[in-house]
Amino acid sequence: MNTNFLFVFCLLVCIAEAKVEYKLFNVMNYGARADDRTDNSVAFLKAWNDACKWRGKSTILIPKGSYMLHEVIFSGPCNAWMNFQIEGTLKAPSDIYLFRTDSWISFRYVNKLNVGGGGTLDGQGAFAWAKNDCQTNRNCRTLPTTMTFQFITNGYIHHMRSINTKQNHFVLFGCKNMVMTRLKLMAPTDSPNTDGIKIAMSTGVTISSVNIGTGDDCIAMLYGTKGVRISDVYCGPGHGISIGSLGKNNGEDDVDDIVVKNCTFSGTDNGVRIKTWTAVLQKIMHVSNIHYEDIVMENVRNPIIIDQNYCPSHPCNPKGGVSSVQISNVSYKFIRGSANSDVAATLQCSPNKPCQNITMDTINLWPSGKGSKLNNECLNVKGASHGIQVPRACI
Ligand SMILES: *[C@@H]1O[C@H](CO)[C@@H](O)[C@H](O)[C@H]1NC(C)=O
Ligand SMILES: *[C@@H]1O[C@H](CO)[C@@H](O)[C@H](O)[C@H]1NC(C)=O
Ligand SMILES: CC(=O)N[C@H]1CO[C@H](CO)[C@@H](O)[C@@H]1O
């Protein structure tokens, strides 16, 4: 056979193959309407289901425009890489009674998921915030998270803006190997329980170049969070970057291997915080190998804090109750800036499980107000300090 013929034959087959590879699913072809009123959940789900079945890579496109979207769950497993491209603005119904679950937009059981596109998620939270009575009612209604990722592996979440979420902006649960970057998460300072990114039972999460201003924690890492790299996060207003709360219930998995680097906190309640409940559990859980480096504090109430005496809803022992969480190998390096209280670092560990191997290296914190003076407070801490320490170290 002539080699030219073979070449041309291959070329045709290869082009056909390449065409099978990739397909665009535009929600407008599934009846979506960008009129700000019509619920688009059915149209988006139809597009998702076709894309999910497609045997090549697929993009679900939401073009520019403003779309009303009720609660939706985009489920896998899918046949190949899924790209969810949000170029428009998605609006949640403001009526919380239209939600059956605690999430507005959910992605579940997908391997290789890309969510981005430069669009906006508008949780329209004002009505829900007024209904939030969680400060006084222990059985309060859980309000919807804007976007939830459950059992996603190899996820890339990027270039999106989330505003006015009803409760959390983003939640990761049971995920593996996730990258979150170029995100902007905004809600008012006084919007209750509006965490930025909340993580539990997940391994391998990279968060970088994210700007968060919200009413609760900028980032919260809960039970079973392992292998997290956080860098270039701007947090403020908000309650800081937290590990915890942990150790309230039996069976919580350990938190291990967290690095927080090159972040700025501005006007936040806390900077870097680890908090655990006073509770006696069947088994001791561990928080270990936590590294904070190159952190700037601007007018922060508690720049560095370990609170093992967390107990917001029943009377606590003021001298430090007993926690079932062992904290070890925590280092703070190159932390600088201003605090608006009288404590720079509060390290309040449990009397029955003193913190082990806490190190402070080159800390320079000063009061943001004139005439005030900063101190450090340590309780049940074992470790060491190196380099410059302003104010004077308490380990
Ligand atoms: C203390 O923790 C640091 C990391 O924060 C680690 O490099 C060091 O080896 C630990 N020391 C001990 C004695 O475990
Ligand atoms: C603390 O760090 C040391 C040195 O890296 C390591 O050997 C030890 O296992 C760590 N402790 C925990 C509880 O992870
Ligand atoms: C949030 C934050 O502090 N980001 C800084 C990370 O480091 C680069 C380079 O030094 C700065 O330009 C960013 O401002």
Side-chain angles (χ1 to χ4, degrees):
M1 217 186 280
N2 168 327
T3 49
N4 256 344
F5 170 77
L6 266 180
F7 176 74
V8 170
F9 180 76
C10 171
L11 202 65
L12 290 173
V13 171
C14 297
I15 287 170
E17 274 296 309
K19 275 197 168 154
V20 170
E21 264 286 288
Y22 173 85
K23 193 166 173 178
L24 181 71
F25 297 82
N26 186 334
V27 294
M28 298 324 256
N29 299 333
Y30 290 84
R33 293 178 66 174
D35 63 4
D36 235 357
R37 285 183 295 119
T38 315
D39 170 28
N40 284 287
S41 53
V42 171
F44 285 17
L45 274 173
K46 280 186 185 158
W48 170 271
N49 289 336
D50 279 1
C52 186
K53 277 186 234 140
W54 183 248
R55 51 200 172 86
K57 293 182 178 181
S58 37
T59 289
I60 296 119
L61 173 69
I62 300 159
K64 288 207 163 68
S66 186
Y67 303 81
M68 171 56 63
L69 180 65
H70 289 196
E71 182 177 356
V72 272
I73 301 172
F74 299 113
S75 266
C78 298
N79 277 327
W81 181 77
M82 298 290 282
N83 178 29
F84 201 88
Q85 176 93 358
I86 306 166
E87 294 181 0
T89 295
L90 308 184
K91 285 191 178 169
S94 55
D95 183 356
I96 55 174
Y97 300 104
L98 285 172
F99 290 82
R100 282 166 295 123
T101 71
D102 59 2
S103 179
W104 172 29
I105 304 167
S106 304
F107 293 92
R108 291 182 182 168
Y109 310 109
V110 184
N111 177 24
K112 296 192 186 129
L113 173 69
N114 190 344
V115 183
T120 298
L121 311 171
D122 182 352
Q124 305 216 82
F127 176 76
W129 304 329
K131 293 267 168 199
N132 184 318
D133 60 352
C134 292
Q135 295 299 328
T136 51
N137 175 8
R138 287 176 111 190
N139 302 314
C140 61
R141 189 189 171 93
T142 308
L143 295 167
T145 291
T146 285
M147 199 173 259
T148 307
F149 299 91
Q150 289 162 315
F151 309 102
I152 304 297
T153 45
N154 303 308
Y156 181 45
I157 321 302
H158 63 108
H159 295 93
M160 274 187 289
R161 205 162 64 104
S162 169
I163 59 170
N164 298 332
T165 183
K166 288 180 169 55
Q167 190 149 333
N168 310 303
H169 291 264
F170 290 85
V171 169
L172 269 56
F173 184 90
C175 294
K176 215 179 257 176
N177 193 20
M178 304 291 284
V179 175
M180 305 183 81
T181 187
R182 306 270 164 193
L183 301 170
K184 191 166 180 175
L185 314 180
M186 296 290 143
T189 323
D190 57 357
S191 57
N193 309 110
T194 52
D195 285 326
I197 301 172
K198 205 164 176 170
I199 308 169
M201 294 305 287
S202 295
T203 304
V205 181
T206 302
I207 300 173
S208 67
S209 304
V210 173
N211 189 330
I212 308 172
T214 196
D216 206 329
D217 291 337
C218 288
I219 300 176
M221 289 167 271
L222 306 181
Y223 57 95
T225 301
K226 291 172 186 170
V228 177
R229 300 290 173 267
I230 297 172
S231 64
D232 196 21
V233 169
Y234 183 94
C235 169
H239 295 182
I241 294 184
S242 293
I243 292 175
S245 344
L246 293 168
K248 186 184 183 189
N249 302 308
N250 282 312
E252 291 183 17
D253 278 25
D254 294 346
V255 172
D256 190 17
D257 185 22
I258 313 284
V259 178
V260 180
K261 250 186 181 173
N262 185 216
C263 294
T264 298
F265 295 86
S266 184
T268 51
D269 269 17
N270 308 290
V272 290
R273 169 167 69 166
I274 300 174
K275 71 174 170 177
T276 75
W277 285 76
T278 44
V280 178
L281 303 181
Q282 287 160 4
K283 204 169 144 265
I284 295 293
M285 69 174 289
H286 296 266
V287 172
S288 17
N289 308 308
I290 315 293
H291 184 65
Y292 301 103
E293 186 171 338
D294 236 325
I295 312 278
V296 175
M297 305 285 176
E298 297 169 355
N299 199 32
V300 172
R301 173 124 55 93
N302 302 300
I304 296 172
I305 177 164
I306 294 179
D307 176 7
Q308 291 215 266
N309 195 23
Y310 182 67
C311 172
S313 53
H314 60 86
C316 300
N317 178 352
K319 288 235 172 76
V322 168
S323 167
S324 298
V325 181
Q326 171 71 67
I327 298 175
S328 42
N329 292 2
V330 182
S331 69
Y332 301 90
K333 194 173 181 180
F334 306 139
I335 317 275
R336 59 196 182 275
S338 61
N340 64 19
S341 65
D342 52 9
V343 271
T346 309
L347 307 177
Q348 201 177 66
C349 299
S350 183
N352 61 324
K353 289 277 161 203
C355 293
Q356 301 292 330
N357 189 25
I358 309 296
T359 58
M360 293 269 186
D361 184 353
T362 317
I363 312 291
N364 187 7
L365 292 162
W366 57 86
S368 38
K370 273 187 196 136
S372 38
K373 204 171 172 293
L374 285 186
N375 283 307
N376 289 320
E377 281 174 9
C378 288
L379 193 65
N380 309 313
V381 185
K382 294 192 175 149
S385 49
H386 316 276
I388 292 169
Q389 298 289 330
V390 181
R392 204 154 59 93
C394 60
I395 340 174

